[in-house]
Amino acid sequence: MSVQERKERERAGRERLIVATARELAEQQGWDAVTTRRLAERIEYSQPVLYSHFRGKREIIGAVALEGSTELAAALRAATATAEDAHTRVTALARAYLDFAARNPAVYDAIFQLDGGLAFADEDTPEPLKDAFAALLENLDEVAGDDVPPPLFTETFWAALHGLATLTRAGRLPPADTERRVALLVDRLALR
């Protein structure tokens, strides 16, 4: 291995460490606790080293959002892979989405709530964000109906899931009724 390859591997390793540490800190204490000073202390590198990878917290949030989007897409596809019919598939999709949001609140916030400097619904949208939307779309396109474009239906269904996720987490909706909400969403919106 050349010196250049070793340096690139070390750089990529530091970058993964920064992102993993930011995620861990955000999940434990919230995004307000994630500062470049605290990250530098935790990863045992100087702040200038951290700044050589990311210009600041916003870019770190963006990196967490991209990584989280990849994980969300994989979770959605895994949950729906064995579904034999549309009802089972859409129900599994909704449950997987809400489960991801509940299990990874800081990552979910990085993707959908915080400014990570990423473009959404734009030609410049990064591929992991497009792929997370595609994981929704490929499971909802057959239930959109003839009169509704599948991307528009997917956006609407996604908005409903996002609302359920954020309102439940904020304590505005009781978690005990989550399954009933999923059933209503699937039966009344997706499979009307």
Side-chain angles (χ1 to χ4, degrees):
M1 171 182 306
S2 72
V3 172
Q4 181 63 28
E5 289 172 329
R6 183 182 52 78
K7 286 182 178 184
E8 287 174 11
R9 188 181 70 207
E10 289 171 357
R11 180 173 177 74
R14 278 192 308 272
E15 211 163 277
R16 284 190 304 275
L17 177 62
I18 293 165
V19 171
T21 304
R23 283 180 70 156
E24 179 183 321
L25 187 56
E27 292 292 359
Q28 291 171 353
Q29 300 176 31
W31 278 103
D32 288 341
V34 179
T35 64
T36 53
R37 184 182 59 75
R38 287 183 85 184
L39 284 174
E41 288 171 2
R42 282 207 175 193
I43 64 172
E44 298 179 347
Y45 283 102
S46 67
Q47 281 184 297
V49 169
L50 195 141
Y51 282 116
S52 75
H53 292 275
F54 299 99
R55 288 186 297 218
K57 182 176 176 177
R58 182 179 187 217
E59 283 190 5
I60 294 168
I61 290 169
V64 170
L66 293 175
E67 187 174 272
S69 293
T70 299
E71 293 167 9
L72 174 60
L76 297 176
R77 287 187 176 108
T80 58
T82 60
E84 295 183 14
D85 59 54
H87 187 274
T88 305
R89 187 171 23 270
V90 176
T91 300
L93 177 78
R95 285 181 182 146
Y97 185 96
L98 295 173
D99 184 55
F100 181 89
R103 284 185 298 105
N104 305 283
V107 173
Y108 188 83
D109 284 350
I111 300 169
F112 298 116
Q113 304 281 90
L114 301 174
D115 179 10
L118 304 173
F120 281 80
D122 189 82
E123 63 186 42
D124 295 332
T125 300
E127 200 54 45
L129 299 178
K130 289 178 183 177
D131 190 48
F133 184 78
L136 291 167
L137 178 63
E138 63 201 33
N139 287 290
L140 294 169
D141 63 349
E142 71 179 293
V143 299
D146 295 334
D147 58 335
V148 179
L152 179 63
F153 180 81
T154 300
E155 290 169 348
T156 304
F157 194 85
W158 169 37
L161 288 174
H162 177 70
L164 290 174
T166 56
L167 290 171
T168 301
R169 193 167 115 210
R172 304 290 196 262
L173 297 175
D177 292 329
T178 298
E179 279 303 311
R180 290 180 63 202
R181 287 187 198 94
V182 167
L184 282 169
L185 184 60
V186 171
D187 294 340
R188 302 283 170 87
L189 180 62
L191 301 172
R192 60 201 184 297

